[in-house]
Amino acid sequence: MYGALIGKLKSKQIQNFDSKKAKGCIMYFEFEDGFKGDGFLGGLLWGGDKPTKEHPEEYYAKGNFLIIWSFKKGSVVTTISKDKIKAALK
């Protein structure tokens, strides 16, 4: 549906977390020719240009990859995962 705006999807994976300290998910997307929807994605996730209390999702896009974290603001899982992913995608 959004292929023309963000690029053609090659693969996707979702990792769910449900514990006392963290509840949410990490979504991993790989695109055939790179992720192209950086400006569009914020509006789709948050309805604006930055996360809100209702929609605290964070994302990171580099090359062919897009990762979205859907956790409460300040989540330790988001922080640790984001550091590891950024290091892996240097």
Side-chain angles (χ1 to χ4, degrees), residues 9 12-13 18 22 29 33 35 40-41 52 58 64 70-71 73 75 83-84 86-88:
L9 191 62
K12 64 181 176 180
Q13 297 289 321
D18 190 3
F29 300 93
D33 298 313
F35 173 67
F40 170 75
L41 187 60
T52 65
E58 296 182 44
N64 291 359
S70 183
F71 291 89
K73 185 176 180 176
S75 164
D83 289 346
K84 288 182 178 185
K86 285 182 176 181

Side-chain angles (χ1 to χ4, degrees), residues 1-15:
M1 177 182 214
Y2 297 111
L5 298 171
I6 64 173
K8 187 173 179 182
L9 191 62
K10 182 177 179 181
S11 65
K12 64 181 176 180
Q13 297 289 321
I14 298 174
Q15 186 177 17

Side-chain angles (χ1 to χ4, degrees), residues 35-77:
F35 173 67
K36 300 174 180 135
D38 208 22
F40 170 75
L41 187 60
L44 181 65
L45 291 174
W46 313 310
D49 60 347
K50 61 183 178 179
T52 65
K53 187 174 182 177
E54 286 184 344
H55 298 285
E57 292 84 2
E58 296 182 44
Y59 73 90
Y60 178 71
K62 181 150 186 183
N64 291 359
F65 298 96
L66 166 67
I67 299 89
I68 301 173
W69 293 269
S70 183
F71 291 89
K72 288 183 179 179
K73 185 176 180 176
S75 164
V76 174
V77 173

